[in-house]
Amino acid sequence: MTEPLLDVQGLTMRFGGLLAVDGVDLTAERNRITALIGPNGAGKTTIFNCLTGFYKPTAGRLLLRHPTRGPIELQTLKGYGVARTGVVRTFQNIRLFPSMTVLENLLVAQHQALMPRSVFSLAGLLNLKGWRAAEEAAVDTARDWLRRLDLLAVADEEAGNLSYGMQRRVEIARAMSTNPLLLCLDEPAAGLNPRETRALAELLAGIRAEHGIGILLIEHDMGLVMDISDHIFVVDHGARIAAGTPAEIRNDERVIKAYLGEPDADDAAHAGGDAH
Amino acid sequence: MGFTLAVGTFLQHLINGLTLGAIYGLIAIGYTMVYGIIRMINFAHGEIYMIGAFIAVTTFTLLLGAGVTSVPLALVIVLAISCTFTAAYGWTIERVAYRPLRTAPKLAPFISAIGMSILLQNFVMLTQGARSKSLPPVMTGGITLWHDGDFSLGLTNIQMFIILLTVALMAGFTLVINRTALGRAQRACEQDRTMAALLGINVDRTISLTFVLGAGLAAVAGVMVTLYYGVIDFYIGFLAGMKAFTAAVLGGIGSLPGAMLGGLLIGLIEAFFSGYVSSAYKDVAAFSILILVLVVRPSGLLGRPDIEKV
Amino acid sequence: MAAPIPSPTGPAMPFVHRLREAVIAGLVAMALAVPFLGLRTVNLDQGLVVQANLAYVPLAGAVVFLGRLILGLLAAPLAKAAAPLATWRPPAGAQRLRPWGGPLLVLAAAALPFLPFANRYVIDLGTTALIYILLATGLNITVGLAGLLDLGFAAFYAIGAYTCALTTTQLHWGFWPALAAGGLASSLFAVLLSLPILRLRGDYLAIVTLGFGEITRIVILNWQGLTGGPNGVSGIARPTLFSLTFDRRAPAGGHTFSEVTGIAYAPEHRLIFLYLIILALTALAAYTVARLRRLPIGRAWEALREDEIACRSLGINPTMVKVSAYATGALMGGLAGCFFAARQGFVSPESFGFMESATILAIVVLGGMGSQAGVIIAALFIVVLPELARGFADYRMLAFGLAMILIMIWKPGGLLSGRLPTIRLSNAKPKPVAEAA
């Protein structure tokens, strides 16, 4: 087996006196869906925030094995720098650009690729051929993802006017338009109906099969997690308590005790959402 | 001699700065309370203070004409009348220009406030004239703390009055905010207006009262400035308002002690900078310190840092 | 004292309620009128005297009472009548005419000085309006597109103006190089200023920009050696057309426009020339902004306004986006300043106070943030309205303030508040070979 795409070692995050994440190790691989689960307030979103550059971890090493740029220590990068390495996320409480159209949202996502092609905006201002080609390519990428996520019909609508389920899909399409290496999804199934959840499962399985990227997933919908994950990490009280395949996790006593053992945990998670 | 003179000069600047700072602080409280509760820069608040000063001049003149000679009696009457009418202005402004915009995009109330500021300035200019009004000194005398040859360090009665009244008002105000139902309602509205309304707090009334209280304090500042300088015009609200708002931000907007601290700091910076460096650049000093403080502590000196929620 | 007043927009409020409401409003107005309309302090030789005109008090009460009553009664029918307007959309065919709107407007504006009714006064007013349109177009980038509130925009205007004034008077540059220098200096200044403060959010950023605006003004006012302090700078070079001047007599070694073209000299020529320059600058600026909105940088500005955190999650560096917005906006402010200086031939600090910043901001917000058409309408409104009200000179600023409040209450999003998408999938060419990913 090759070395994992992402290698997190001893990730620790402290807010004042509160130890939110305590020495967590985890990995994510290409062509694999890795799930991060745990009860409310376990520290999952905090791990995500550290990983995607929104928090500076107190300690720990976040190593990304970039296929062209070599190993990158994500914790040393500035917030926006992490996304430029190809680690791109979605948010638990959807963050679209609400008064821009869906298509514009997807074009903003391609900022990194388009910016050099606009040559300090000069080529763009003069509407030169090279720029036009780049813009058309970007629109094509966006169109592909819109088609894939069944959003073509609403491409010219304001993103903020769409239904909740559609907004979740736009966020995933936007993240995929950046052509990521590792897609981090924070509760993508929250608020979706069973049919939408099934479609999401198919979509994620499809991305895993076709795009050669890693997917890291925080999710409370255990059906979905057990269904599509290749590997699962369980955290509780900021610490990793188990890791393994869905079958192993299902039978892990500590996990059952901490989490699955409480039959209401799943429902409560849906009602309340995760703590930050 | 040289050393004691230097200390004396320093203390004189300190006293002047504290007096000025007390006035800025009282105006700043109005900005900070309004911002705390509806997240809006009440740009017309400086004009409220100017209105308070004009009512003070009119009332003083009337009292003099009526032959009232007791200074304490005159002060009480002037403060009462100025606060009442100015508070009515504060209430009306919120009711007319801001309440209809409670749910509007963020900049709409701000532009409405700029409009209100222009409106009030011109209203006062048209009704009271553009020329400045100077009042004969109402309060004279003072104590000489120390003197040495030509130099004397003095504390005038007006300065004492301003500083003591400000301290008393601050103390009373802290009690109102921390202990009374109104203060509780106000703090609740600051945290979450919708929730406060669900819990039976009359949000509209709480906001109105916030404007009334803020206007009352600005009126006191207006009375003070009338006494202190003896000259006012329709334009004084603009600069004082801007500095008081700077003070509120410097102290941490939304924080009452912050507003007072910010006011004092701005007053002191102004006094010391004019005294020691250059009076032409005193405002540059005040704004530069504001910028420095914000760059180091983006939420002001006593403001709660806002944690970015992802 | 806060009597419970029912909402004025209640669907079917009984007349008694309306009456009660109007009575309360009238009483409050009377109370407010006492210290200002009823009593007037007058400066006399022996000191202040209070004159009583108490008749004004009931008058104010009556006016407010009636106004409130009539407005309350008319509000519902008016809202009903205006309802179709709010939902009106241009017919589908109009969509295709949109791109022609801008060029047509510019052509119409260019024809203005040659129309029969155009006199010096009209051309001058048009020039002033165009300066404000250019300024507001620049500020619109910062405030309307990038969502960064700037209360000190007049600083950039001032820097452009003084750069022009100083380069032409001290270094004897011509107008055109000075114009470029003014824009660049302003832009550079914006970059230097914005770098340390971009960490600040929202209102804190706003107050810092206000501070910078004031600092700039105070420094200009007091740096006598360079800026002439309150006396300002005069003798600023006039714009030339290919080095032809619009003077009656040619300067040593130069030629005038009338000499070369053979058109008889007329003082209006210079005014028309100035008008056409500012029209060209403004049209260029508006076109540039329209293009920039479609480019990655412009989309990033708008994305930043919408959600900074989401921007960072997509690898966009917010600092660069903010700096570029400030710099581009300041560039236009600087150009406007430079033109202003050359037009007046004289600059002084009082043209760049906070009220100037507030006026430009008011244009942006009144017009509808982010909307170029809105900027044009609002600038015309703000420049032309006070001029029309000249007859009531004393009351025009009062009316101006009142109008700002009323427009905000009427249309809180600005006159033109809709946002136009920068691209439509339906208009984009589909890829020839469908290679589904």
Side-chain angles (χ1 to χ4, degrees):
Chain A
M1 207 172 110
T2 57
E3 291 195 296
L5 176 65
L6 175 77
D7 218 328
V8 175
Q9 290 161 8
L11 177 64
T12 302
M13 184 72 210
R14 192 186 281 281
F15 296 106
L18 178 79
L19 188 61
V21 179
D22 183 10
V24 167
D25 295 345
L26 60 89
T27 56
E29 292 173 39
R30 301 186 90 153
N31 302 313
R32 290 277 181 282
I33 295 177
T34 307
L36 186 58
I37 64 170
N40 282 335
K44 303 181 298 293
T45 295
T46 306
I47 294 176
F48 251 45
N49 286 343
C50 290
L51 188 58
T52 51
F54 284 93
Y55 294 161
K56 206 132 202 87
T58 315
R61 188 156 172 260
L62 307 161
L63 184 74
L64 179 77
R65 293 194 177 82
H66 198 278
T68 53
R69 291 166 60 180
I72 302 172
E73 305 242 352
L74 296 181
Q75 78 276 8
T76 62
L77 298 179
K78 290 206 170 164
Y80 60 87
V82 173
R84 293 185 179 181
T85 65
V87 176
V88 174
R89 70 175 293 176
T90 65
F91 295 88
Q92 190 178 325
N93 46 347
I94 310 174
R95 283 186 175 274
L96 296 174
F97 305 119
S99 58
M100 299 174 85
T101 68
V102 171
L103 177 62
E104 285 173 323
N105 266 270
L106 268 59
L107 291 176
V108 171
Q110 300 180 61
H111 184 83
Q112 285 323 307
L114 283 174
M115 200 60 194
R117 300 296 296 276
S118 77
V119 201
F120 300 109
S121 304
L122 286 178
L125 275 179
L126 301 173
N127 210 10
L128 298 182
K129 206 171 164 197
W131 158 252
R132 281 209 306 271
E135 192 186 26
E136 274 164 27
V139 172
D140 286 338
T141 306
R143 194 199 321 268
D144 285 342
W145 282 107
L146 292 176
R147 181 180 299 128
R148 188 80 188 265
L149 283 133
D150 197 18
L151 290 165
L152 271 181
V154 295
D156 295 333
E157 302 275 330
E158 278 182 26
N161 290 347
L162 301 182
S163 72
Y164 192 80
M166 276 188 175
Q167 293 199 16
R168 283 238 173 264
R169 299 212 301 274
V170 174
E171 214 189 8
I172 295 175
R174 188 178 68 181
M176 287 310 296
S177 304
T178 65
N179 192 16
L181 208 54
L182 179 67
L183 176 66
C184 303
L185 302 170
D186 195 349
E187 296 195 30
L192 299 191
N193 64 34
R195 194 170 48 83
E196 287 172 325
T197 306
R198 264 198 309 283
L200 176 71
E202 274 169 38
L203 172 80
L204 295 182
I207 291 175
R208 166 178 58 185
E210 292 160 29
H211 290 270
I213 69 170
I215 296 177
L216 188 62
L217 178 76
I218 292 179
E219 191 46 71
H220 280 295
D221 185 327
M222 282 309 129
L224 178 70
V225 168
M226 293 299 165
D227 208 26
I228 64 169
S229 305
D230 299 294
H231 202 81
I232 298 177
F233 291 94
V234 190
V235 286
D236 190 17
H237 296 297
R240 188 177 118 177
I241 58 169
T245 62
E248 288 163 354
I249 293 300
R250 207 172 278 147
N251 300 318
D252 189 299
E253 266 178 42
R254 270 185 306 173
V255 177
I256 294 168
K257 209 156 134 198
Y259 187 34
L260 294 177
E262 300 164 57
D264 289 334
D266 199 71
D267 300 345
H270 276 286
D274 204 357
H276 291 265
Chain B
M1 166 80 187
F3 175 71
T4 44
L5 191 61
V7 173
T9 315
F10 177 84
L11 289 175
Q12 192 65 66
H13 290 322
L14 185 72
I15 292 171
N16 296 346
L18 285 176
T19 314
L20 206 55
I23 296 175
Y24 288 148
L26 286 176
I27 311 173
I29 289 175
Y31 279 110
T32 235
M33 284 198 310
V34 165
Y35 188 88
I37 203 162
I38 53 175
R39 296 277 174 272
M40 172 206 161
I41 301 173
N42 177 12
F43 202 80
H45 191 61
E47 314 312 333
I48 288 285
Y49 147 86
M50 179 269 292
I51 282 176
F54 264 91
I55 297 177
V57 166
T58 306
T59 318
F60 268 127
T61 313
L62 279 177
L63 289 176
L64 281 175
V68 177
T69 47
S70 155
V71 172
L73 179 66
L75 276 181
V76 169
I77 296 176
V78 168
L79 279 172
I81 290 185
S82 178
C83 284
T84 310
F85 279 101
T86 312
Y89 270 90
W91 181 82
T92 311
I93 288 168
E94 191 273 334
R95 191 69 185 75
V96 170
Y98 306 154
R99 192 178 294 180
L101 294 170
R102 196 78 56 73
T103 55
K106 209 170 136 36
L107 274 181
F110 183 70
I111 296 299
S112 181
I114 293 179
M116 185 49 92
S117 172
I118 296 174
L119 177 77
L120 290 175
Q121 251 182 41
N122 285 280
F123 171 66
V124 173
M125 187 191 78
L126 287 171
T127 55
Q128 300 293 318
R131 281 180 58 194
S132 59
K133 313 271 171 204
S134 49
L135 200 67
V138 177
M139 231 177 170
T140 48
I143 47 172
T144 306
L145 296 174
W146 174 70
H147 77 113
D148 183 2
D150 285 344
F151 180 83
S152 72
L153 173 66
L155 178 62
T156 63
N157 286 338
I158 297 177
Q159 288 176 323
M160 263 190 286
F161 166 74
I162 290 178
I163 293 172
L164 289 178
L165 183 58
T166 306
V167 170
L169 280 173
M170 271 311 286
F173 225 70
T174 313
L175 275 179
V176 167
I177 298 299
N178 290 334
R179 297 286 163 79
T180 63
L182 167 67
R184 229 174 0 256
Q186 209 172 31
R187 281 177 288 142
C189 290
E190 274 181 34
Q191 300 270 324
D192 188 334
R193 226 186 301 155
T194 317
M195 196 62 208
L198 288 173
L199 293 175
I201 292 173
N202 186 337
V203 174
D204 279 345
R205 207 174 65 181
T206 310
I207 293 175
S208 282
L209 279 173
T210 305
F211 274 85
V212 165
L213 287 175
L217 290 179
V220 175
V223 174
M224 286 175 173
V225 92
T226 308
L227 289 172
Y228 194 46
Y229 292 120
V231 184
I232 58 165
D233 59 47
F234 73 99
Y235 202 63
I236 58 168
F238 174 68
L239 201 60
M242 200 147 78
K243 282 191 200 153
F245 182 60
T246 305
V249 176
L250 182 65
I253 201 156
S255 150
L256 285 181
M260 212 55 233
L261 176 69
L264 284 179
L265 281 176
I266 296 281
L268 289 171
I269 292 166
E270 230 183 281
F272 280 109
F273 204 83
S274 333
Y276 287 113
V277 190
S278 140
S279 89
Y281 284 101
K282 63 179 201 263
D283 296 340
V284 170
F287 285 121
S288 305
I289 290 193
L290 169 81
I291 292 168
L292 279 180
V293 168
L294 286 184
V295 167
V296 180
R297 260 189 80 88
S299 47
L301 291 172
L302 301 183
R304 243 175 277 125
D306 58 338
I307 295 167
E308 187 177 51
K309 283 239 177 188
V310 178
Chain C
M1 69 173 301
I5 295 180
S7 153
T9 50
M13 202 191 294
F15 182 72
V16 190
H17 277 196
R18 292 204 187 285
L19 199 64
R20 197 172 76 107
E21 194 179 88
V23 169
I24 293 172
L27 289 176
V28 170
M30 281 169 70
L32 295 182
V34 171
F36 287 94
L37 286 166
L39 303 170
R40 182 184 163 97
T41 52
V42 188
N43 296 296
L44 294 179
D45 291 338
Q46 64 271 35
L48 285 182
V49 175
V50 173
Q51 290 178 347
N53 310 302
L54 289 171
Y56 282 125
V57 174
L59 188 67
V63 167
V64 171
F65 166 78
L66 286 176
R68 178 80 182 159
L69 195 64
I70 293 168
L71 264 183
L73 291 174
L74 286 184
L78 273 181
K80 211 174 202 171
L85 278 176
T87 50
W88 184 82
R89 290 282 171 278
Q95 199 44 252
R96 272 179 296 134
L97 294 176
R98 262 207 62 81
W100 298 100
L104 280 177
L105 195 62
V106 173
L107 278 179
L112 173 81
F114 307 104
L115 295 179
F117 64 84
N119 51 24
R120 296 184 68 114
Y121 175 69
V122 168
I123 298 170
D124 238 12
L125 196 59
T127 309
T128 307
L130 282 165
I131 293 179
Y132 278 101
I133 295 174
L134 179 56
L135 284 167
T137 303
L139 184 63
N140 203 13
I141 295 177
T142 329
V143 180
L145 295 182
L148 304 163
L149 182 51
D150 186 344
L151 300 178
F153 194 70
F156 302 132
Y157 186 33
I159 286 169
Y162 271 89
T163 305
C164 184
L166 294 175
T167 50
T168 61
T169 57
Q170 308 286 320
L171 306 176
H172 307 293
W173 289 15
F175 167 75
W176 294 104
L179 182 69
L184 288 178
S186 238
S187 208
L188 189 69
F189 189 71
V191 172
L192 293 179
L193 287 191
S194 57
L195 277 174
I197 60 166
L198 288 172
R199 220 155 60 88
L200 302 175
R201 262 194 289 271
D203 297 320
Y204 290 98
L205 187 67
I207 190 74
V208 168
T209 56
L210 181 109
F212 274 142
E214 277 303 293
I215 290 176
T216 309
R217 192 182 61 82
I218 297 168
V219 169
I220 290 177
L221 191 62
N222 290 294
W223 193 349
Q224 301 260 0
L226 184 70
T227 63
N231 300 327
V233 181
S234 52
I236 299 165
R238 305 283 187 180
T240 52
L241 178 67
F242 301 113
S243 74
L244 300 179
T245 68
F246 285 83
D247 297 326
R248 189 185 290 274
R249 277 173 229 293
H255 297 281
T256 67
F257 175 73
S258 59
E259 277 174 14
V260 173
T261 56
I263 302 171
Y265 168 79
E268 282 80 23
H269 288 168
R270 187 199 346 254
L271 293 182
I272 295 174
F273 181 54
L274 283 170
Y275 174 86
L276 292 177
I277 291 177
I278 187 71
L279 176 64
L281 281 175
T282 307
L284 186 67
Y287 173 77
T288 307
V289 172
R291 285 293 316 168
L292 283 175
R293 275 190 73 213
R294 301 202 43 174
L295 296 181
I297 188 68
R299 294 218 175 94
W301 289 338
E302 290 201 74
L304 185 82
R305 173 194 69 203
E306 304 272 300
D307 195 329
E308 180 170 341
I309 288 176
C311 278
R312 276 192 274 158
S313 82
L314 296 169
I316 294 173
N317 178 352
T319 307
M320 287 315 294
V321 177
K322 288 179 191 175
V323 170
S324 63
Y326 270 114
T328 317
L331 175 73
M332 294 177 186
L335 293 177
C338 199
F339 175 81
F340 171 79
R343 174 208 191 194
Q344 310 286 108
F346 166 76
V347 284
S348 73
E350 66 201 58
S351 309
F352 310 104
F354 173 76
M355 271 329 283
E356 205 61 23
S357 296
T359 307
I360 306 165
L361 182 66
I363 293 175
V364 171
V365 179
L366 289 176
M369 296 213 297
S371 162
Q372 183 65 44
V375 160
I376 296 169
I377 294 173
L380 288 174
F381 169 80
I382 281 201
V383 174
V384 176
L385 184 84
E387 287 299 321
L388 291 180
R390 247 197 188 177
F392 319 89
D394 287 346
Y395 295 91
R396 66 185 181 146
M397 286 313 283
L398 190 81
F400 179 61
L402 189 64
M404 274 168 84
I405 301 172
L406 292 179
I407 292 182
M408 279 295 107
I409 292 175
W410 174 48
K411 275 192 170 294
L415 295 168
L416 297 177
S417 51
R419 176 186 176 276
L420 288 172
T422 58
I423 187 170
R424 286 176 193 278
L425 192 65
S426 40
N427 297 353
K429 263 185 296 173
K431 184 161 47 166
V433 189
E435 35 171 325

